[in-house]
């Protein structure tokens, strides 16, 4: 991985655009059983990554190894960069390093044969078509391609979205916002009175009828 990145840094600036395009759309013919290594920087725009998907700061470093095994292209590698998250407690934005591994496979899309109308014989008992369980249960780590090139941008984009935490925190000890005045409690305590916590039977006491 480090060797591939050093090699990329040694290339001239004039090759950067071509290298990025080759990184995201490699030729199937160039991917052999011995493998093809790709590395470079890609931007959110090149990946089709919108702000609603994830906000990244600067380019992302992508290093991928591709191997063609009997028509199945196995892709492994690493994606690194910096994301801008919003803390779920204090709602402040913060920067978080991105570093996750990629391990997916690409299968060629099967060509669908044109439907040929057949004369039905109503004398025969019609049997419902069998359901292919393997085709129905698609592997989430399996992508499909057609033509002479792979399109890796949608896959990298999806992996970045999946790597985002469900509940991002700027730090584990974040105190969040005061539910009354909205002050950021990480900056200090607010002037709101402490909320008194009654016992579990306080509500029942309020429902007790008063004696005349």
């Amino acid at each position: 991985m480090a060797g591939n990145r050093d090699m990329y840094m040694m290339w001239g600036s004039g090759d950067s655009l071509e290298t990025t395009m080759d990184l995201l759309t490699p030729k199937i013919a160039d991917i052999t059983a011995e493998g093809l290594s790709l590395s470079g920087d890609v931007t959110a725009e090149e990946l089709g990554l919108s702000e609603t998907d994830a906000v990244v700061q600067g380019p992302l470093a992508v290093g991928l190894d591709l191997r063609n095994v009997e028509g199945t292209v196995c892709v492994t590698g690493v994606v690194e960069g910096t994301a801008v998250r919003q803390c779920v407690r204090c709602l402040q934005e913060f920067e978080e390093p991105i570093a996750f591994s990629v391990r997916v496979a690409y299968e060629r899309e099967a060509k669908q044969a044109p439907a040929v109308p057949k004369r039905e014989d109503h004398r025969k008992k019609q049997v419902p078509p069998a359901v292919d369980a393997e085709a129905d249960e698609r592997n989430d780590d399996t992508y499909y391609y057609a033509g002479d090139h792979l399109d890796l941008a949608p896959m990298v984009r999806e992996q970045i979205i999946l790597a985002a935490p469900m509940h991002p925190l700027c730090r584990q000890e974040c105190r969040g916002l005061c539910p009354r005045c909205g002050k950021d409690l990480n900056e200090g305590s607010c002037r709101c009175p402490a909320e008194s916590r009654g016992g579990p039977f306080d509500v029942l006491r309020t429902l007790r009828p008063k004696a005349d």
Side-chain angles (χ1 to χ4, degrees):
M1 176 66 185
N4 291 338
R5 184 175 301 175
D6 294 340
M7 183 180 297
Y8 171 75
M9 295 301 293
M10 292 173 60
W11 290 337
S13 58
D15 297 334
S16 58
L17 179 60
E18 182 180 357
T19 302
T20 300
M21 298 305 296
D22 291 342
L23 171 63
L24 297 177
T25 57
K27 294 181 180 180
I28 301 297
D30 294 338
I31 307 172
T32 63
E34 287 73 18
L36 174 67
S37 295
L38 301 172
S39 63
D41 293 342
V42 297
T43 63
E45 291 77 14
E46 292 168 337
L47 296 176
L49 193 67
S50 64
E51 293 185 356
T52 57
D53 298 327
V55 179
V56 296
Q57 187 179 65
L60 298 167
V62 179
L64 301 174
D65 292 324
L66 295 78
R67 293 178 63 247
N68 194 332
V69 181
E70 297 181 355
T72 299
V73 180
C74 303
V75 181
T76 58
V78 176
V79 177
E80 297 177 351
T82 303
V84 180
R85 316 281 192 199
Q86 185 180 50
C87 181
V88 295
R89 292 181 184 172
C90 66
L91 304 182
Q92 296 294 327
E93 291 186 349
F94 65 98
E95 297 179 4
E96 182 181 50
I98 298 176
F100 61 88
S101 59
V102 174
R103 189 179 185 87
V104 301
Y106 278 83
E107 298 281 356
R108 181 175 290 277
E109 290 184 350
K111 295 182 179 179
Q112 296 182 354
V116 178
K118 295 182 179 180
R119 181 177 299 175
E120 297 182 358
D121 189 352
H122 297 285
R123 294 173 299 177
K124 295 182 180 179
K125 183 179 179 181
Q126 296 186 1
V127 180
V131 178
D132 190 352
E134 294 183 358
D136 186 61
E137 298 179 1
R138 297 180 61 180
N139 190 346
D140 292 339
D141 295 330
T142 301
Y143 297 82
Y144 296 86
Y145 70 93
D148 299 330
H149 293 76
L150 287 184
D151 186 5
L152 300 177
M155 180 273 294
V156 177
R157 171 183 172 273
E158 183 178 83
Q159 295 297 319
I160 292 173
I161 296 174
L162 294 176
M166 295 294 295
H167 302 285
L169 293 174
C170 59
R171 55 183 182 275
Q172 291 296 327
E173 62 276 11
C174 176
R175 299 178 62 190
L177 303 177
C178 173
R180 294 185 178 181
C181 66
K183 177 180 173 59
D184 189 348
L185 299 179
N186 296 307
E187 301 175 355
S189 301
C190 61
R191 297 183 179 181
C192 295
E195 183 179 358
S196 60
R197 297 183 179 179
F201 299 102
D202 285 354
V203 177
L204 296 179
R205 295 191 184 99
T206 61
L207 300 177
R208 182 184 302 173
K210 296 181 180 180
D212 295 336

